[in-house]
Amino acid sequence: DTEVTQTPKHLVMGMTNKKSLKCEQHMGHRAMYWYKQKAKKPPELMFVYSYEKLSINESVPSRFSPECPNSSLLNLHLHALQPEDSALYLCASSPWGQGNEQFFGPGTRLTVL
Amino acid sequence: QQQVKQSPQSLIVQKGGISIINCAYENTAFDYFPWYQQFPGKGPALLIAIRPDVSEKKEGRFTISFNKSAKQFSLHIMDSQPGDSATYFCAASRFYGGSQGNLIFGKGTKLSVKP
């Protein structure tokens, strides 16, 4: 298995909902990332887990909560989001911990109503 | 010092032509320079990357040229095809940088290849 998978592909949620995004990789990579990407902009780093420990939290609002249950799985829990949080949420992984080659998943398109 | 400047913002090339996208960086500690290709609604795909021990790397129609003294690198797409129409992001980082190893992205170039 040589890819990063993300579910769901699309998600529409209200501002009072709680939802979760899921990311999986079975390449044995030891770092996993969450990025947010707005239209016509580069990906913006949100969180990094390196060896299953949260390494970086780029001053992301607490309505976004990451979780790394094991080395293959990364979740992003969403609660009380705002319409401006609508974006493409990308997961990535890299082989030897933080830094070096990063491989991105297809993303989850999130719309907050 | 963390910026990566990418140009042009958009590029229109005829089929069969050469597409050239340029990036410049400031942080001399950067030692890993990847290019990502992104189609609308999809995640970025790692296209090609270079480390500073070589000045050029070629993979098929895609070539990275790297100028360490000028702190610049560029992507050349030879024989450009309509299927190459996408947004291209350059990036830079410290390859074994640990917490300093995050990718710093350029702002992207939207390439359109006309048939």
Side-chain angles (χ1 to χ4, degrees):
Chain A
D1 192 344
T2 58
E3 62 177 359
V4 177
T5 60
Q6 290 187 243
T7 54
K9 290 185 180 179
H10 302 276
L11 179 63
V12 179
M13 61 186 290
M15 289 191 285
T16 58
N17 291 159
K18 283 185 181 180
K19 296 286 185 183
S20 296
L21 309 185
K22 180 180 173 182
C23 172
E24 271 189 286
Q25 58 86 15
H26 297 286
M27 298 178 280
H29 288 183
R30 301 316 305 268
M32 297 183 75
Y33 310 74
W34 281 116
Y35 287 85
K36 172 183 177 180
Q37 187 178 30
K38 300 284 258 185
K40 300 183 181 181
K41 299 288 186 184
E44 183 182 327
L45 183 64
M46 300 175 72
F47 302 103
V48 183
Y49 275 85
S50 185
Y51 294 87
E52 300 164 52
K53 287 184 168 33
L54 183 63
S55 172
I56 285 185
N57 173 344
E58 291 286 346
S59 303
V60 178
S62 60
R63 57 186 184 267
F64 295 91
S65 175
E67 179 195 17
C68 187
N70 59 58
S71 61
S72 300
L73 187 58
L74 187 66
N75 297 319
L76 186 63
H77 303 296
L78 313 172
H79 173 55
L81 294 193
Q82 304 297 308
E84 59 264 29
D85 297 321
S86 298
L88 183 67
Y89 286 84
L90 295 162
C91 176
S93 68
S94 59
W96 307 293
Q98 198 170 337
N100 58 80
E101 297 177 304
Q102 289 188 29
F103 298 91
F104 285 82
T108 294
R109 172 67 63 191
L110 174 67
T111 303
V112 182
L113 300 176
Chain B
Q1 257 219 328
Q2 285 288 86
Q3 277 190 331
V4 175
K5 295 181 179 177
Q6 183 172 347
S7 63
Q9 191 173 347
S10 63
L11 182 60
I12 299 174
V13 173
Q14 289 296 123
K15 179 182 174 182
I18 301 173
S19 304
I20 301 174
I21 306 172
N22 300 300
C23 284
Y25 64 99
E26 298 172 349
N27 189 341
T28 54
F30 289 152
D31 62 358
Y32 175 63
F33 304 93
W35 285 90
Y36 285 88
Q37 178 190 57
Q38 186 174 27
F39 294 105
K42 306 293 185 185
L46 180 59
L47 190 62
I48 187 172
I50 197 167
R51 303 288 307 277
D53 50 338
V54 295
S55 60
E56 187 174 281
K57 183 174 181 180
K58 184 176 180 180
E59 289 185 3
R61 295 184 296 110
F62 300 92
T63 299
I64 298 180
S65 297
F66 180 74
N67 185 329
K68 188 173 181 179
S69 60
K71 292 187 285 185
Q72 294 175 348
F73 58 109
S74 59
L75 176 69
H76 296 234
I77 306 174
M78 310 300 287
D79 187 27
S80 298
Q81 299 296 313
D84 297 329
S85 297
T87 298
Y88 292 81
F89 292 100
C90 65
S93 76
R94 294 176 61 182
F95 193 76
Y96 294 112
S99 62
Q100 306 299 315
N102 299 327
L103 288 173
I104 307 300
F105 285 94
K107 292 190 174 182
T109 296
K110 184 174 181 180
L111 172 65
S112 297
V113 181
K114 299 299 183 186

